[in-house]
Structure formats: structure tokens, C-alpha cells
Amino acid sequence: MNDANRQQPKAESLPPNQPPHFYRGGTAIAAFRGLPVADDYLPEDWVASTTTRFGTTGTGLSVLADGTPLADAVRADPAGWLGARHVARFGDSTALLVKLLDAGQRLPVHCHPSDDFARTHLSSGCGKTEAWLVLGTTGERPSVRAGFRADVDEATVRRWVSDQDNAALLDALNEIPVRAGDALVIPAGLPHAIGEGVFVLELQQPSDLSLTLEWQGFLDTETQAHLGIGFERALAALDHSTWDEDRLATLLTRRESGSLLAPAADDFFRAHRLSDDTTLAAGFAVLIVLDGSGTLHTADGATLPLARGTTAVVPHSAGPARLDGPLDVIACRPPAVPNPGDAVS
């Protein structure tokens, strides 16, 4: 499409985008969106995704109302979608992937690579730091696991992985009870697993890179677990260090704190809670409507109806946007890009 025919980016709602996965889930996503359950293995809804599933060319991409993949639209007009300052730092990458994730079973113990590891060993532009905002839970003891309770040497981890000693891997991690409104940042390298019955809004760097330590019973082959680079290399991405209660507290926010994400997220993504008559500053944003109904008014004169279960993408060119109506919305955004003249603290 040439510049003369290219449409100005606009805020629009997005349909479900749920690629099949190896683990069960999706009931909470269907209930949230007010849709019937389509399959037991659609546990993730990739929202405003310009990221493909690892090893595929198109799976996972979000599509706009006119049929254009969002990734193509952003590449065609990066400044319109993302803003000039964002493009100067990140190019045409949105620097963000948002998911709704419903764990219908416990996920395996795994970790994600850092930017440096991903670039060096996996030919990827970025690694994968992520964060979970808990939207709901079921079951008697909903929890997640994160970080080793004590230092674990490399030989021990290699033995656990080689023997697929799932019990030892799981027991070595901190168990963290969670409820709706809690949030946890998961830095690259941190071993973790989401427990059965935990429904989260996940913000992450835009890659699909998981190094799965506990793969037997979850994945079909060991190669899938180490992404084809071998465990000898893959385990170098793992954080073996102790995460005690004080250290975990730097990643965790409880609902009573009033904060969404711990400061550890700031370099990777942002999340803000919006309500009636709140103004959203200009910039690329992904909206998740948790409750209520109303309207988004953008500075370009457009309006977008919102209701519980709506997911939407807002481009930079839409300008500041205002919410009208009794709404509870999470706005997910890439990391802030300071003005060139801003002081660096």
C-alpha cells in the first residue's frame, strides 16, 4: 500500500487470538470475553501481538479489522503507530507483547533468556522479561513458583534436567500464594511456573523464547525444551541464585498496595489502571477492559465502545484519549522513552 492510500492508524478492538498450546486452559479467557469455550488447549490470548510463535512464520500475530496483520501495519507506519521517539530507540518493534493466560493445569518449570543470551544464541532481537497481573484464581491454594529457595549449583540443575526430576525442580522453587490484584515481575533467567487455576494478564518483551527445564509430560521432544541449542548451552541462561523473601519482595506487589507492577518492570513495560474520565497520554497502548462499559474518545475525533472483556490497541497517532463511563481498564505500554533533554537519574 502506497502512502497516498495508507489509512491513518486508529484505535480498535481486537478479536481473540489464541494459538493452540501444549497445556490446558482457556476457560477463564472465554468467560472474561463472554464467549463459549472453543478448546481445552487455548490457554493464551495474544493481544495486539506482532510476535510469532517460536519456529513459525505467522502463528500468534494479531489481525486488524481490515484483515491486515498488526505487525504489517506497524512496519508500514512505525511513527504513526509508535511515535518518533519510540522508533528512534526500538525501530518498528512495539517492544511489548500482552497476553491473557489461563493456567488450566500447572505449567512446567522454565525460564526465559536475557537480551544478550537471546541475541548471541537464539538470533532474536530481545529476550523475555515478563510480569503477571493476577486477574482471578480458582482452587483451594492458587499459587505460582519463582526463584530458587537456596543456591543450586550447575551440576545439580543439570542432573535434575537430565533425569527429569520434576519433583526436585518444583520443590527447589519458592511457592507464592496469589489472589486477584497481586502482581509479580519475572526477570529473564528466573526459574518459574504458574500454578493451576491462576488467570493472569501478562506483559512481556516481544519474543516467544522459553527454556523448559521440566519438559517430560509437557512437550513432545527435548529439542523443543532447549530450542535446539542443547541444554549444555541453554542452562547458561538460568539464574541459580537464592531468592529469599526480601529479594522476592522487590518483584512482588500485593493488591492492597495500590501499585500494579514493581519498579523492576520499568525498563521493560508499563501498566496503568484507568477509570471513568481518565486521560491516556498519547502513545502506543494495549487496553484490557476488566469491568464496566463506556467509550474511549481519542484526540483524532474517533470513539471506541468498551466493555468487560474488550481488548483494544491504541496507536500513538490517535493522540491523548479519554475514558467515559464506569470502566476498570488496564493500559499496557512499552517502556517509557525519555525526552533527549531529560536528566538521567
Side-chain angles (χ1 to χ4, degrees):
M1 184 181 295
N2 61 40
D3 290 343
N5 295 327
R6 184 181 300 147
Q7 291 187 345
Q8 183 81 353
K10 63 179 182 179
E12 60 178 271
S13 57
L14 297 167
N17 174 32
Q18 295 173 262
H21 223 299
F22 67 85
Y23 67 95
R24 295 189 304 276
T27 301
I29 296 172
F32 176 68
R33 284 191 173 274
L35 298 171
V37 176
D39 190 288
D40 289 337
Y41 287 87
L42 300 176
E44 300 180 5
D45 189 343
W46 293 28
V47 184
S49 170
T50 59
T51 303
T52 58
R53 287 286 301 273
F54 181 81
T56 73
T57 57
T59 304
L61 296 177
S62 293
V63 177
L64 300 174
D66 66 359
T68 304
L70 176 61
D72 291 351
V74 172
R75 278 193 294 268
D77 186 6
W81 277 98
L82 308 173
R85 282 165 48 200
H86 179 107
V87 172
R89 179 174 176 185
F90 296 107
D92 62 9
S93 170
T94 62
L96 177 68
L97 175 57
V98 176
K99 296 178 183 176
L100 298 170
L101 189 157
D102 172 34
Q105 66 180 93
R106 179 182 67 79
L107 273 63
V109 177
H110 62 290
C111 72
H112 305 296
S114 66
D115 290 351
D116 287 345
F117 188 98
R119 290 168 185 150
T120 301
H121 300 294
L122 294 164
S123 301
S124 175
C126 67
K128 186 178 171 184
T129 286
E130 64 187 31
W132 310 322
L133 287 162
V134 181
L135 301 184
T137 61
T138 59
E140 294 183 1
R141 187 181 170 83
S143 64
V144 299
R145 305 262 184 162
F148 287 125
R149 295 186 291 110
D151 287 358
V152 180
D153 61 66
E154 291 185 17
T156 298
V157 173
R158 290 181 190 281
R159 185 176 71 253
W160 288 344
V161 172
S162 177
D163 295 345
Q164 282 299 279
D165 191 342
N166 296 2
L169 279 165
L170 194 65
D171 185 61
L173 300 180
N174 293 286
E175 183 175 12
I176 306 169
V178 294
R179 53 184 175 162
D182 294 341
L184 185 67
V185 179
I186 302 293
L190 190 74
H192 61 277
I194 298 176
E196 180 179 352
V198 180
F199 176 36
V200 302
L201 166 59
E202 180 174 293
L203 294 87
Q204 60 162 91
Q205 292 181 273
S207 78
D208 185 39
L209 301 175
S210 293
L211 300 167
T212 309
L213 283 65
E214 184 193 4
W215 64 269
Q216 211 163 62
F218 293 95
L219 303 178
D220 293 332
T221 68
E222 182 178 321
T223 300
Q224 292 172 287
H226 55 60
L227 303 181
I229 63 174
F231 273 122
E232 189 72 22
R233 181 179 299 170
L235 289 177
L238 180 66
D239 180 353
H240 298 79
S241 65
T242 301
W243 283 81
D244 60 18
E245 185 174 348
D246 289 341
R247 196 177 181 199
L248 282 173
T250 66
L251 306 178
L252 180 66
T253 50
R254 295 296 188 181
R255 66 183 183 184
E256 57 268 19
S257 72
S259 299
L260 284 183
L261 294 177
D266 292 349
D267 289 340
F268 301 97
F269 32 70
R270 295 170 289 162
H272 308 289
R273 198 154 206 154
L274 309 178
S275 56
D276 184 19
D277 206 27
T278 301
T279 297
L280 178 69
F284 180 80
V286 180
L287 305 185
I288 310 294
V289 183
L290 302 185
D291 206 359
S293 62
T295 306
L296 181 75
H297 300 266
T298 53
D300 59 7
T303 60
L304 182 68
L306 301 176
R308 172 180 165 80
T310 300
T311 58
V313 61
V314 182
H316 180 276
S317 63
R322 180 178 59 83
L323 292 178
D324 179 24
L327 287 158
D328 184 6
V329 178
I330 302 293
C332 308
R333 313 197 81 156
V337 181
N339 284 311
D342 289 348
V344 178
S345 57

